[in-house]
Amino acid sequence: MRFAFGHGFYPKKLDDFKRLSRTADEAGFAMVMTGDTPALVGDHYVGLTMIALETSRCRLGSYISNPVTRHPAVAAAGIAAVNEIAGGRAYLGLSTGDSGVYNLGEKPAKQADLEEYILTVRALLEKGEATYRGNTVRFGWYHGHIPIYMAPGGPKGLRLAGRIADGVFLETGFLPEVIEDTLHQIDEAAREAGRSIDDIDIWWHARACMGSSRDAAIDTIPSGLLGIGNRLARFQQQGKFIPDAIWPKLQELKRRYDFMGHHETAGGATPQRNAAMLDELGLRDYLADRFGILGTPDDFVERIRSLEKMGVRNIAFTALMPDKLDFLHAMRDAVIPRFTMD
């Protein structure tokens, strides 16, 4: 079985964004994505349009949007337009909301609201009409299927994805017991809904960076690891395989986390808002082991091979390292060929 990679970029500088999208497509990434966080980067659908125009082979879509900031008909129109431009290569990614919600003074959606939103968008795209919050919504200019992906990080989200999602970007982590339970939760929910886990396109979300060593790579993306740690800290500890000694540290991270530093990188022009907490709170090794693919190209290959043996297929990265182009070239030359050859 082939192993696919995806990468998410954020449109701060248009020329850089275009070049990175084009390079990722040419390097063999199967997915090229962008997030929906208006306080930090440009408009989500403009970014997706630029990816569509700069690429020709990869799939493209949201990494990831939310139900809070757009009416479902607006989201349907946006992704339908992108899909037309991309020649049918687009998907819509949805979760409850992260920096794109918190930085606007809003709160993430509840799982029930997310479910209603996903079903509404799907019905609008495929049938042209839906009932949303008790009102009839109509959508007449596009009819067709566009896959809807989720990014679940907890048990409730995993089960919802198993029931209704076309695909998932899993944010539960890479510990063996976590991988096993994550796949079990999706499989069980899918079967209860009369589906199969094989009906769902499964991807795993990793915080990745290359460097001269694992520690050097961690030092390059401390805020990236903390960002996904902050998501892990939400709601309950139960069902997430978080050690009792780690849970209070994650709660302190959640209390202090600054969402305006959500995409910050080491060596940037402004001081990092969150980075110091990685070592201050003693979360360095835990978050790196659970969510990271870090180190030299050989370290990458070894880590991915070990994950493959545990059932991981398809990994999507978030570009939070300063030299994103160098990372893409290293993936193209030293990693992707090792997993895509017959």
Side-chain angles (χ1 to χ4, degrees):
M1 178 183 292
R2 290 190 174 217
F3 201 110
F5 296 94
H7 212 316
F9 303 105
Y10 301 91
K12 294 182 180 180
K13 294 183 179 179
L14 184 58
D15 287 343
D16 290 345
F17 183 71
K18 291 165 63 177
R19 181 167 60 253
L20 291 170
S21 299
R22 186 168 57 250
T23 301
D25 187 41
E26 294 169 350
F29 281 85
M31 278 198 182
V32 179
M33 305 91 82
T34 190
D36 188 3
T37 179
L40 299 177
V41 297
D43 180 77
H44 179 54
Y45 290 103
V46 171
L48 289 177
T49 299
M50 296 310 303
I51 295 174
L53 293 172
E54 293 295 324
T55 62
S56 61
R57 296 179 293 184
C58 66
R59 298 178 63 200
L60 59 118
S62 320
Y63 196 54
I64 203 123
S65 191
N66 67 80
V68 178
T69 54
R70 290 181 183 84
H71 188 280
V74 177
I79 200 62
V82 169
N83 196 52
E84 290 286 276
I85 295 168
R89 294 183 288 131
Y91 75 90
L92 177 63
L94 292 165
S95 190
T96 55
D98 197 40
S99 64
V101 171
Y102 281 104
N103 279 330
L104 303 188
E106 301 288 346
K107 294 182 179 180
K110 296 180 179 179
Q111 292 292 336
D113 296 329
L114 175 61
E115 180 173 5
E116 182 184 21
Y117 191 93
I118 289 173
L119 295 177
T120 299
V121 172
R122 180 177 287 150
L124 291 174
L125 290 169
E126 297 181 2
K127 301 177 181 178
E129 186 173 303
T131 300
Y132 181 64
R133 296 181 177 175
N135 297 314
T136 299
V137 182
R138 296 181 177 86
F139 187 76
W141 70 270
Y142 179 97
H143 289 150
H145 175 73
I146 297 176
I148 298 179
Y149 283 55
M150 287 178 57
K156 291 182 180 179
L158 291 172
R159 298 193 72 82
L160 177 58
R163 294 200 311 272
I164 70 171
D166 296 301
V168 288
F169 294 106
L170 298 171
E171 298 192 328
T172 50
F174 294 131
L175 304 180
E177 64 274 20
V178 170
I179 293 171
E180 181 180 4
D181 181 74
T182 295
L183 295 175
H184 171 74
Q185 295 279 359
I186 294 174
D187 179 54
E188 186 174 70
R191 286 189 285 106
E192 290 172 358
R195 312 172 69 203
S196 165
I197 192 172
D198 295 331
D199 298 330
I200 303 168
D201 187 26
I202 295 177
W203 290 71
W204 297 78
H205 178 190
R207 296 298 194 180
C209 185
M210 288 188 190
S212 58
S213 66
R214 175 179 178 274
D215 280 336
I218 294 172
D219 289 340
T220 303
I221 59 161
S223 297
L225 293 170
L226 289 165
I228 200 164
N230 178 59
R231 289 202 284 278
L232 184 66
R234 294 183 197 163
F235 309 115
Q236 78 282 351
Q237 179 184 3
Q238 184 178 3
K240 294 182 179 179
F241 296 88
I242 303 170
D244 289 341
I246 295 294
W247 183 245
K249 300 177 181 181
L250 290 173
Q251 293 306 293
E252 179 65 10
L253 167 62
K254 183 176 72 171
R255 186 186 71 81
R256 293 168 54 184
Y257 192 79
D258 187 338
F259 281 95
M260 284 303 291
H262 192 63
H263 289 164
E264 64 191 7
T265 59
T270 58
Q272 294 187 81
R273 298 166 183 259
N274 297 313
M277 287 189 285
L278 192 64
D279 289 322
E280 285 179 8
L281 299 179
L283 289 169
R284 181 186 185 92
D285 287 331
Y286 179 76
L287 293 179
D289 289 343
R290 180 158 183 166
F291 297 107
I293 299 178
L294 305 153
T296 67
D298 286 341
D299 293 332
F300 259 62
V301 172
E302 181 179 354
R303 170 75 154 153
I304 295 168
R305 288 292 187 209
S306 69
L307 295 175
E308 190 175 22
K309 292 176 182 177
M310 290 186 277
V312 171
R313 300 288 187 277
N314 307 328
I315 296 177
F317 305 129
T318 301
L320 296 177
M321 67 291 295
D323 194 340
K324 300 171 180 59
L325 198 61
D326 183 67
F327 177 78
L328 293 178
H329 289 160
M331 287 292 298
R332 177 197 64 196
D333 297 337
V335 178
I336 291 177
R338 304 278 290 274
F339 294 91
T340 56
M341 293 184 294
D342 292 326

